[in-house]
Amino acid sequence: MSAQPADASAPTDAPTLVLVRGDITDQDADVLVNAANSSLLGGGGVDGAIHRRGGKAILDDCRRLRAGHYGRGLPTGQAVATTAGDLAARWVVHTVGPVYSRTEDRSALLASCYRESLRVADELGAGSVAFPAISTGVYGWPMDDGARIAVETVRAARPASVREVRFVLFDAPAYAAFEVALG
């Protein structure tokens, strides 16, 4: 796993942005962001990995959310927190990314995933947040554009408590795309 401080030129009220190549479930951060599906009940990719590694407590919290306010699932672009279960994090913030479309601009929904996740993390008092590259896997978002949207959105956010944002990228091409987006 490699890490690179990536945003030394950011204004002092903005979180420091860091790139990490590795597995998001290995991160010791206050919040891990889960690229969830709307059911909140686990799935493939990052979602499945977080649920497997975090254990039953995450699924139990997600079931409580589904039994309450999110009976129809979590809408795309929104975010909600649960326990982190057996993960090193304190919380998991679940967000549902949009499926990429060549005919409809859904970039505002993707940006909302990052913005809303930071808002929820800030409400929790989190100091550090680890993000995957939301929607760039099975949802088909082009990695370079997904990286650009992620970086621009996080740079524009001004959470009060979040001091560090890590983009945790699973492979070399994703890491390279985020390096370019950071400039």
Side-chain angles (χ1 to χ4, degrees), residues 14 30 32 38 43-44 64 83 97 100 147 152 154 156 161 169 179:
D30 292 330
L32 297 187
S38 64
R64 281 190 280 279
T83 181
Y100 180 72
E152 286 177 2
V154 170
S161 67
L169 297 315
E179 276 186 313

Side-chain angles (χ1 to χ4, degrees), residues 55-145:
K56 187 176 180 316
I58 295 173
L59 182 58
D60 290 346
D61 267 7
C62 286
R63 285 185 174 142
R64 281 190 280 279
L65 290 168
R66 286 299 307 268
H69 184 70
Y70 297 103
R72 293 186 176 172
L74 183 65
T76 301
Q78 292 189 17
V80 65
T82 66
T83 181
D86 297 329
L87 295 164
R90 296 175 65 191
W91 301 281
V92 172
V93 171
H94 306 266
T95 190
V96 180
V99 174
Y100 180 72
S101 171
R102 292 176 198 263
T103 60
E104 179 184 350
D105 182 6
R106 298 177 180 167
S107 57
L109 285 170
L110 182 55
S112 181
C113 291
Y114 290 96
R115 194 171 33 258
E116 287 299 300
S117 294
L118 284 172
R119 180 190 59 77
V120 170
D122 201 41
E123 288 174 359
L124 293 167
S128 57
V129 177
F131 278 103
I134 298 168
S135 287
T136 61
V138 71
Y139 284 10
W141 207 282
M143 185 60 73
D144 58 341
D145 193 48

Side-chain angles (χ1 to χ4, degrees), residues 161-180:
S161 67
V162 177
R163 302 300 358 129
E164 180 184 270
V165 171
R166 288 180 223 155
F167 293 109
V168 183
L169 297 315
F170 193 72
D171 61 21
Y175 190 95
F178 273 77
E179 276 186 313
V180 168

